[in-house]
Amino acid sequence: MQITQSLRDTFMTQGYLVIDNLLSADEIQALVDDYVQLLDRIALQLYQERKIPSLFSDLPFDKRLGTILSQSQENLFRYFDIALPNEDITEQTPFHLSPAIFNMIKNERILDIIEQLIGGEILASPIQHVRIKPPQQTAERNPNQSSLVKQTGWHQDQGVSREEADDTETITVWLAVTDATIDNGCLQVIPYSHRYGIATHCPSNEQMTIPEKLLDGTPRPISIKAGSALLLHRLTKHASLPNISDSIRWSFDLRYQPIGQATGRDELPSLIVRSRSQPELVQDDYDAWVTSWQDARTALAHKGKRDKTHRWDGDAPVCA
């Protein structure tokens, strides 16, 4: 898959780029099947523990997930995410690292796009997430759910990382598993906002967000089809719209950067996914990848309090 010079220029000028049909229908279905099986296991556990009244197995995945989220008062998002949380890590903290996730992160078409923007020495960042957003009303019924399942406020991906990674050429691939529409909470971006550096972020509803007074420019909603991707510059200001539909909106945040540059999360394992100069460095062992995350979880659990994962204290005047 090729990015033309005009598309590359568009990305560098606007701070974002839409790539249609980046993954095939079969590749998207592999992810859906993987999460259907995961939900089966979670639902059975919750039902056996009498935390939900039914398995809700007659419902399709999207409706079933929303129903279980609304019926349970636990933070179920942790079972679905592909990374560790920023705090309260134990040796039992769940995360979901399946062969389907491994294959998605290493997908050759995604890497072909990234190579044309940052070169052929590519590292998959450990700052990656699944985003399964139920309808807003469903999310609000359970106050214990992670903020990652709710509407995401304005931020920059670089702004919610540590300062050590400020010069890292990170590119976010926001990959849609379901259609992302204005009704179900697609992303919105402020074009050209990456030109003005890092804006101050303030604590807000369990998130770090940019105050409204620092939002310059006109937001643009980005609706894309399942299998398509929104590429974001690390300094582009973006947020999600609320999900006012009756179904979930599902995506993955995948971040890639050049090998050798700081990840901003040295305590978490990164993954070399392509190296033109030293192809033997590419990590193809799925089991070793999972073990590296399990080892990181154990180390963080024994450490106790995790180091701060961003630079903001909320004491800037603009946060008052």
Side-chain angles (χ1 to χ4, degrees):
M1 183 175 291
Q2 296 293 316
I3 292 184
T4 65
Q5 184 62 45
S6 63
L7 288 178
R8 188 181 295 106
D9 291 345
T10 297
F11 177 78
M12 297 307 299
T13 300
Q14 292 191 156
Y16 71 95
L17 181 66
V18 172
I19 303 293
D20 292 322
N21 304 314
L22 185 53
L23 295 192
S24 69
D26 287 344
E27 289 166 328
I28 290 296
Q29 189 59 49
L31 292 168
V32 173
D33 292 343
D34 179 50
Y35 271 77
V36 166
Q37 294 174 19
L38 175 60
L39 184 58
D40 282 342
R41 297 194 296 272
I42 294 171
L44 180 59
Q45 178 182 336
L46 291 173
Y47 181 68
Q48 290 175 339
E49 294 173 353
R50 299 187 177 183
K51 294 179 179 178
I52 54 175
S54 166
L55 293 175
F56 302 105
S57 53
D58 58 327
L59 298 177
F61 176 83
D62 56 346
K63 304 292 187 185
R64 187 184 187 197
L65 176 59
T67 300
I68 291 174
L69 285 174
S70 67
Q71 292 284 330
S72 169
Q73 291 302 303
E74 296 189 23
N75 181 6
L76 297 182
F77 177 78
R78 288 264 46 90
Y79 293 88
F80 295 96
D81 203 9
I82 59 176
L84 288 167
N86 289 336
E87 56 188 4
D88 299 328
I89 296 173
T90 72
E91 292 202 54
Q92 287 72 47
T93 296
F95 50 71
H96 183 58
L97 302 178
S98 65
I101 299 299
F102 189 64
N103 292 337
M104 174 185 63
I105 292 172
K106 291 171 59 66
N107 183 277
E108 292 294 325
R109 284 191 299 283
I110 295 177
L111 300 183
D112 287 346
I113 295 293
I114 297 300
E115 179 172 355
Q116 294 173 70
L117 294 173
I118 63 172
E121 307 301 309
I122 306 174
L123 190 77
S125 166
I127 309 176
Q128 307 198 109
H129 294 287
V130 67
R131 307 279 186 169
I132 303 179
K133 292 187 179 291
Q136 192 82 351
Q137 290 183 339
T138 297
E140 291 172 351
R141 291 189 194 123
N142 183 348
N144 297 318
Q145 288 299 339
S146 165
S147 62
L148 290 173
V149 307
K150 301 173 184 176
Q151 183 178 358
T152 304
W154 286 102
H155 68 284
Q156 298 160 298
D157 286 342
Q158 192 63 56
V160 293
S161 183
R162 296 179 182 135
E163 292 176 88
E164 66 200 51
D166 276 355
D167 294 327
T168 299
E169 300 172 80
T170 305
I171 293 178
T172 296
V173 178
W174 193 89
L175 181 65
V177 179
T178 59
D179 291 350
T181 68
I182 290 176
D183 281 349
N184 73 12
C186 68
L187 285 196
Q188 50 181 338
V189 305
I190 298 180
Y192 316 112
S193 57
H194 65 301
R195 299 177 180 181
Y196 306 109
I198 295 177
T200 298
H201 290 57
C202 303
S204 176
N205 298 322
E206 301 178 62
Q207 303 179 41
M208 300 304 299
T209 60
I210 301 171
E212 187 174 349
K213 63 186 72 175
L214 298 183
L215 297 176
D216 49 349
T218 303
R220 180 178 298 174
I222 308 295
S223 295
I224 57 176
K225 294 291 186 180
S228 299
L230 170 64
L231 274 58
L232 291 168
H233 188 281
R234 65 188 185 277
L235 292 174
T236 298
K237 295 174 183 175
H238 60 284
S240 71
L241 291 167
N243 183 353
I244 59 173
S245 74
D246 61 357
S247 187
I248 63 170
R249 192 222 69 198
W250 181 2
S251 63
F252 286 93
D253 291 352
L254 307 178
R255 300 186 192 183
Y256 299 91
Q257 63 179 75
I259 296 171
Q261 296 184 1
T263 66
R265 296 289 191 279
D266 289 343
E267 71 277 19
L268 299 178
S270 52
L271 183 71
I272 295 177
V273 290
R274 178 170 290 181
S275 175
R276 295 301 187 187
S277 64
Q278 295 180 277
E280 69 276 9
L281 295 179
V282 173
Q283 295 163 272
D284 292 321
D285 189 331
Y286 162 74
D287 290 330
W289 176 63
V290 173
T291 297
S292 69
W293 276 94
Q294 292 170 337
D295 290 346
R297 178 177 61 184
T298 297
L300 288 168
H302 289 175
K303 180 177 181 179
K305 186 174 178 60
R306 185 173 174 184
D307 292 341
K308 191 175 176 182
T309 56
H310 55 78
R311 71 197 73 194
W312 314 107
D313 293 317
D315 55 359
V318 74
C319 297

